[in-house]
Amino acid sequence: DSGVTQTPKHLITATGQRVTLRCSPRSGDLSVYWYQQSLDQGLQFLIQYYNGEERAKGNILERFSAQQFPDLHSELNLSSLELGDSALYFCASSVRGGTRKETQYFGPGTRLLVL
Amino acid sequence: AQTVTQSQPEMSVQEAETVTLSCTYDTSESDYYLFWYKQPPSRQMILVIRQEAYKQQNATENRFSVNFQKAAKSFSLKISDSQLGDAAMYFCAYRGPGGSQGNLIFGKGTKLSVKP
């Protein structure tokens, strides 16, 4: 158990809908990362938050957004869902997120299926 | 842009034998970290081992060790005394100096099968 929690574990929804994925980082970790794992794109970095503020952006679509709250949990919002958004979404956390020495610990992931 | 390449989509090893998974990367940075993550059928991403680029000594964690060749930009994972529980996808990952480069860049993965 990495100490990172994600809810829900599974999500099935329809095209055009909007969903919210939730992540709670390890105790004491200030930085949260979101990654998407799909069959065709592999594991891709989406976005990073550090202590409530956006730190870095990767290949995140405009239909996707995220935020980190004062209690440091984070939510990833996916809207106008398309079939291609079906994937496993991981959250990872690290202590500060700005130093190379840190290890990112991954949550169990949320499996999203868009029908 | 940094890239990570795993040229072996699938590998197979006999139980108790040794197997080496390959990884190459491309970066213009001199200071960075490299990681191997394991993803079993449960889909959980589990850190196996990490290597600091400025350290010449290869990292080891029990049965897992790496061969880090900085000049060649190569970072292979050796699994000794393979066990059935080692069967999984293995991902090589690169992390830059930090700040805006703090995210991980992953290779496509190598699926390892362990035969009894």
Side-chain angles (χ1 to χ4, degrees):
Chain A
D1 185 0
S2 66
V4 179
T5 60
Q6 289 186 249
T7 56
K9 287 186 179 179
H10 303 277
L11 201 48
I12 302 175
T13 189
T15 55
Q17 294 297 306
R18 172 190 170 95
V19 297
T20 298
L21 313 184
R22 182 187 169 106
C23 167
S24 293
R26 295 187 318 155
S27 177
D29 284 1
L30 300 177
S31 201
V32 169
Y33 304 79
W34 286 97
Y35 293 87
Q36 179 195 59
Q37 185 178 29
S38 62
L39 282 175
D40 52 347
Q41 297 293 330
L43 266 160
Q44 286 196 108
F45 167 68
L46 295 178
I47 197 165
Q48 177 198 358
Y49 275 81
Y50 170 70
N51 203 21
E53 297 200 357
E54 182 183 303
R55 171 69 66 90
K57 259 187 176 179
N59 297 321
I60 188 166
L61 300 172
E62 285 192 9
R63 301 183 284 108
F64 296 1
S65 65
Q67 54 184 327
Q68 186 179 28
F69 294 87
D71 66 352
L72 300 177
H73 91 271
S74 178
E75 293 181 356
L76 179 67
N77 300 297
L78 315 176
S79 61
S80 302
L81 284 167
E82 302 175 0
L83 296 178
D85 297 328
S86 296
L88 185 56
Y89 291 84
F90 284 109
C91 167
S93 75
S94 66
V95 174
R96 284 186 292 276
T99 70
R100 64 188 183 279
K101 293 187 177 183
E102 295 177 5
T103 294
Q104 292 179 26
Y105 295 92
F106 282 75
T110 293
R111 185 178 293 278
L112 173 66
L113 179 60
V114 182
L115 300 175
Chain B
Q2 294 86 0
T3 58
V4 177
T5 302
Q6 294 179 248
S7 58
Q8 306 152 316
E10 295 188 26
M11 292 281 286
S12 180
V13 63
Q14 204 72 31
E15 195 176 6
E17 297 294 308
T18 295
V19 65
T20 299
L21 309 184
S22 301
C23 172
T24 58
Y25 59 94
D26 189 24
T27 183
S28 58
E29 301 288 344
S30 60
D31 194 14
Y32 49 86
Y33 262 66
L34 297 165
F35 303 83
W36 279 97
Y37 279 88
K38 170 185 177 181
Q39 187 178 41
S42 67
R43 296 294 191 175
Q44 175 77 47
M45 293 290 287
I46 301 167
L47 177 67
V48 175
I49 198 166
R50 71 178 191 179
Q51 174 76 41
E52 303 165 31
Y54 61 89
K55 283 190 176 179
Q56 292 187 340
Q57 186 174 7
N58 289 324
T60 61
E61 287 288 343
N62 301 312
R63 298 182 295 108
F64 299 87
S65 61
V66 299
N67 183 5
F68 173 49
Q69 302 288 329
K70 191 172 184 178
K73 295 181 181 174
S74 170
F75 181 60
S76 60
L77 175 69
K78 186 171 84 171
I79 306 174
S80 304
D81 185 25
S82 296
Q83 301 175 359
L84 295 178
D86 295 333
M89 283 289 290
Y90 286 82
F91 292 94
C92 178
Y94 164 97
R95 179 185 174 145
S100 62
Q101 297 187 58
N103 57 282
L104 294 168
I105 299 170
F106 288 92
K108 293 291 187 185
T110 296
K111 183 177 181 180
L112 178 67
S113 302
V114 180
K115 297 178 181 178

